[in-house]
Amino acid sequence: MSATTEARRTAQQYDPLGAMGSRPLAIGLGAASIVWALLVSVFDRDVVGSPTLSALTVILVAASAAVVFTASSPFRAPFPRWAFIAHVGLLGLASVTSVAAQWGPDRSALNDFMSLITATGIVMVAPYRPWTDLTIGGALLAVVNAATWGVGAATFPHEIPVAVAAFLAAAPTLVLTAASAVFAWTFAGLAERVQIRAGSYSVERAERDGIAASVQQDRSTILARDVAPFFAELRTREVITDADRERARLIADGIRRAMVADADRTWFEQAVRVEGGEAPVVDDPDGLAAMLDADQRSVVRTFLRAAFRASTVDPAGFRATLRRADGQDDAATRGDAARTDPARTDPARTDPARTDPARTDPARDARVLLELDLAVADSDIGIHRTFDPYFAVLRVTFPDLDVAVRPSALALRFSYDQH
């Protein structure tokens, strides 16, 4: 992964569940900032100032906390840049209004609470934005604090020099911004190295090994259930009858059908079959599941494993449908050509992309829509309680995730690019 890409990734994107667990801290810091701004504005000022501007300062601090509270929700992940810009802008404006509200010879060095609130404001969003954004946002807030304090100290001289007053205003934000940026940068670097190590066992190899194991298990089942008893019976007979020949043909046809099914099975169908057995339905005629990248496959496979292992989920009520989001279905657009092209019905075909050049054409940038429908014997509250952590991870991986929860039913819809 390039340095540019790494700089864009956040702790929330690398560890959605960890970011979900740290959200109460962000909410607590936001609430504490509001209470602190309110108490200090009312009870701890040397200058009476403007009550209207003081109230506006508290409202701006509350608005910035509300932005973080809303945008940090795991069901709105990932934390968008516009929310970070709004958060920083509201805090910067609150710093200005705080000084303006108490304009005068304030012995508490004017804005005596906003410098710390802006500092903790950067800490609040550290898990949600890359270190570059944190650094820029914190630096801008530090400049605003230094400028407002500096102007106030120059207009109403006190024992502290103007330069020192400006530095004291900016120092808390600079220190906590540096700490937040180091955290985000270090976390991204460590997570990237872990992903590189995990990637050494390639997706292709993992799929090949998993499908090979399944094929071997299916062969063993067929041999133990059908072939071995049949041969044991033949050993006891002196003459092979037409009925024996017909039974042998049926066994051979069954083995051939199993081989063809195994050859055409995608990793997604394999994962569903391993966890849910034969009952779940996977509707993926064009093999579009193969177009998920490594990270997306890991997330989807984890959700499938959790869903099928939940005691309230009925595998027979599971259905997965994969179609191109633009409405173009290869099976429909090819029409009768698919029925006349031997390559499309060759049992040896293991990858649809090998016989369809359109699927390997880089120009095809249409998205794929994946729909998952599950029958869950639980209430909507119980479904949320069971699957909310997985929804948080899915939301980070697939930003357009749509979750519909109803009593005894769960439906997920999301899309992804063709990789």
Side-chain angles (χ1 to χ4, degrees), residues 81 99 145 211 234 280 351 394 405:
R81 175 168 288 178
V99 173
N145 288 338
I211 293 177
L234 290 181
D351 185 356
L394 284 166
V405 178

Side-chain angles (χ1 to χ4, degrees), residues 294-304 393-394 397-398:
D295 290 344
Q296 293 169 339
R297 295 185 189 195
S298 298
V299 171
V300 172
R301 185 181 284 111
T302 300
F303 174 76
L304 292 175
V393 178
L394 284 166
T397 309
F398 305 99

Side-chain angles (χ1 to χ4, degrees), residues 331-376:
T333 57
R334 286 194 300 267
D336 294 337
R339 291 191 287 270
T340 59
D341 186 351
R344 305 281 167 84
T345 56
D346 184 2
R349 177 174 59 87
T350 59
D351 185 356
R354 295 177 185 173
T355 57
D356 189 351
R359 296 185 191 167
T360 58
D361 184 3
R364 291 182 63 91
D365 56 356
R367 295 179 65 82
V368 177
L369 178 65
L370 174 56
E371 302 180 358
L372 300 176
D373 295 281
L374 297 85
V376 187

Side-chain angles (χ1 to χ4, degrees), residues 37 41 45 53-54 56-61 64 87-103 109-119 121 137-138 140-152 169-170 173:
S41 296
R45 284 296 193 172
L53 289 177
S54 293
L56 179 59
T57 300
V58 176
I59 291 173
L60 290 172
V61 172
S64 71
H87 174 60
V88 171
L90 289 169
L91 289 180
L93 187 57
S95 292
V96 175
T97 58
S98 177
V99 173
Q102 306 296 328
W103 192 248
L110 296 176
N111 187 14
D112 53 1
F113 65 90
M114 277 308 303
S115 62
L116 293 179
I117 289 181
T118 56
L140 290 175
L141 288 176
V143 169
V144 171
N145 288 338
T148 53
W149 275 43
V151 171
T173 302

